[in-house]
Amino acid sequence: MAGLVDWESFGVMAGGASGALTGLLFVAVSLNAQRIAGHPVLRAIAAQTLVLFIAPLVMATVLLVPRQPGWALGTEFIAAGLAGGLSLMVIGRRRRGPATAPERLAGLFDRRDTGIAVMLLFVTGGAVLASGSTAGLYLLPPASLVAFVSGVLSAWNFLLPPPDVL
């Protein structure tokens, strides 16, 4: 089984990708700022996407701390996953009123449930690490990949919205 030092390249790659995708999100939101700012559903989707892109960045940051014991890293993953999941739930509750047809179409890009699954993978991986097994690290790649793909779908919606949507 791989030790923590063997995951350094993954942490560098995930952190770099997360930073680049966060930049993409800011560009996408900036290009459509007026449309997004005027609509609570789009604002919530943008915030959820930001959480999805920042979560792997936080994971990579704590993963790359040198000579850190596994239990500490696991605890940090648990805390980050819980904070991210709580953030996604709070963002999701900010929506108000019944959804109109355009909002339902925009909701296709809403990745809150997917985001919660990502955070649960971080928490589970952290719990396994905190218990003394490095096997929890193997939950990081699927969590990061799902966060990236889901976030890119949302950012794409901001860059090229479907016709007649908001």
Side-chain angles (χ1 to χ4, degrees), residues 68-132:
Q68 160 169 232
W71 67 265
L73 180 60
T75 303
E76 292 164 350
F77 286 157
I78 291 169
L82 291 175
L86 181 61
S87 297
L88 290 171
M89 291 190 309
V90 168
I91 292 165
R93 287 189 184 144
R94 290 190 178 164
R95 297 184 190 168
R96 293 185 185 10
T100 63
E103 288 173 344
R104 284 193 298 274
L105 185 56
L108 292 174
F109 295 94
D110 179 358
R111 303 290 178 241
R112 185 178 65 176
D113 295 339
T114 305
I116 295 293
V118 166
M119 300 309 157
L120 287 174
L121 285 171
F122 284 140
V123 169
T124 304
V128 172
L129 271 171
S131 73

Side-chain angles (χ1 to χ4, degrees), residues 34-50:
Q34 187 174 17
R35 182 174 67 97
I36 293 168
H39 201 282
V41 171
L42 291 178
R43 282 195 317 266
I45 293 171
Q48 289 171 227
T49 304
L50 182 61

